[in-house]
Amino acid sequence: MGGAEKPLAWLRGEIKTPPFTKEARMEAGILLRRLQQGERLGMPHSRSMPTIGPRCHELRIRDENQNWRIIYRIDVDAIVIVEVFSKRTGTTPKKVVNACKARLRSYDDSV
């Protein structure tokens, strides 16, 4: 690690209390800061999401009564936040996957 921190580029979503508990919001903030500093996170905090695209991952935040997911992509110049949602099943909903792909296409076309 070292050097300049990558900025967060928010395409959608936010992390605030509520709906996150204070503890879950703080955990998300710490994990995002680690990503900004260049650390590569693995399970149980993050897992690869190749179905969305290259360099795409999901942060896994366990809250009191729900599981939050933060879909992100690691770019050379930023950590791109694509979606924040509450996950209720074992698989990521197709609607979320398709929306993330569309947002990333739009983002890549604009930069």
Side-chain angles (χ1 to χ4, degrees):
M1 291 187 291
E5 289 187 1
K6 292 182 180 184
L8 298 176
W10 291 84
L11 302 186
R12 179 169 167 86
E14 58 187 354
I15 301 166
K16 64 180 186 174
T17 303
F20 281 69
T21 61
K22 179 182 176 187
E23 294 76 19
R25 180 178 46 83
M26 289 175 60
E27 180 182 353
I30 289 167
L31 292 173
L32 288 170
R33 176 56 52 100
R34 289 170 61 185
L35 289 170
Q36 287 180 282
Q37 293 170 339
E39 187 175 341
R40 300 286 178 167
L41 301 176
M43 290 293 283
H45 301 298
S46 181
R47 77 174 179 103
S48 179
M49 294 290 291
T51 54
I52 293 174
R55 304 179 321 278
C56 290
H57 307 267
E58 72 172 6
L59 278 183
R60 305 157 56 90
I61 310 293
R62 177 77 182 127
D63 211 340
E64 288 177 354
N65 299 318
Q66 55 191 326
N67 293 305
W68 291 101
R69 296 297 186 258
I70 301 168
I71 305 293
Y72 68 96
R73 185 175 73 184
I74 301 171
D75 283 2
V76 173
D77 60 343
I79 303 298
V80 181
I81 308 298
V82 187
E83 178 66 276
V84 177
F85 67 102
S86 174
K87 190 168 182 181
R88 294 179 173 90
T89 65
T91 59
T92 302
K94 194 105 176 121
K95 181 174 115 176
V96 170
V97 171
N98 291 337
C100 288
K101 288 179 179 182
R103 278 188 206 111
L104 286 169
R105 269 193 309 273
S106 178
Y107 175 77
D108 290 340
D109 289 345
S110 70
V111 291

